[in-house]
Amino acid sequence: MSDESDLETVVGLLDDEYARAILTATCEEPRSVSELSEECESSMTTIYRRVERLSDADLLTEGTRPRSDGHHDTVYAANLDRVEIRLRDGELRFELDRRSADMADQLTRLWGRF
């Protein structure tokens, strides 16, 4: 959906407790679905559904986190910085700001901690 995310979609997502929990959990560092399931105290099925919806609205980005055993994890990071809804001149205006840093930068910082 990217730039075409509409007010109804974003408000609907932000009205969902699991979607909010996922965005909050991934705002500092990328997390896998299993990590999100544990942190949000929800089933992996629920997390997968919310991750898909958030990704479709471009509020969550997907990346890969390398592991020391040679395997990789798919991880997600919040792509939302700010939502603003204003009522001016008889019009409801909606503005959505996404984070400027990309997933690669976040994963590089995370990998540097190891």
Side-chain angles (χ1 to χ4, degrees), residues 65-85:
R65 176 176 58 198
R67 295 188 332 207
S68 60
D69 63 4
H71 293 91
H72 305 296
D73 292 324
T74 299
V75 292
Y76 300 90
N79 192 31
L80 176 64
D81 186 45
R82 182 176 63 93
V83 176
E84 185 176 318
I85 301 170

Side-chain angles (χ1 to χ4, degrees), residues 10-51:
V10 172
V11 169
L13 285 165
L14 295 177
D15 188 42
D16 181 89
E17 68 177 297
Y18 295 111
R20 288 191 311 270
I22 289 168
L23 288 171
T24 302
T26 59
C27 74
E28 294 296 322
E29 67 182 57
R31 302 217 192 271
S32 68
V33 168
S34 61
E35 292 168 334
L36 288 168
S37 176
E38 186 175 312
E39 190 163 330
C40 298
E41 298 179 355
S42 179
S43 72
M44 288 182 53
T45 303
T46 298
I47 299 301
Y48 273 117
R49 268 189 253 128
R50 293 331 187 276
V51 162

Side-chain angles (χ1 to χ4, degrees), residues 6 52 62 75 78 95 106:
D6 62 3
E52 182 178 349
E62 181 180 312
V75 292
E95 189 174 321
Q106 294 177 31

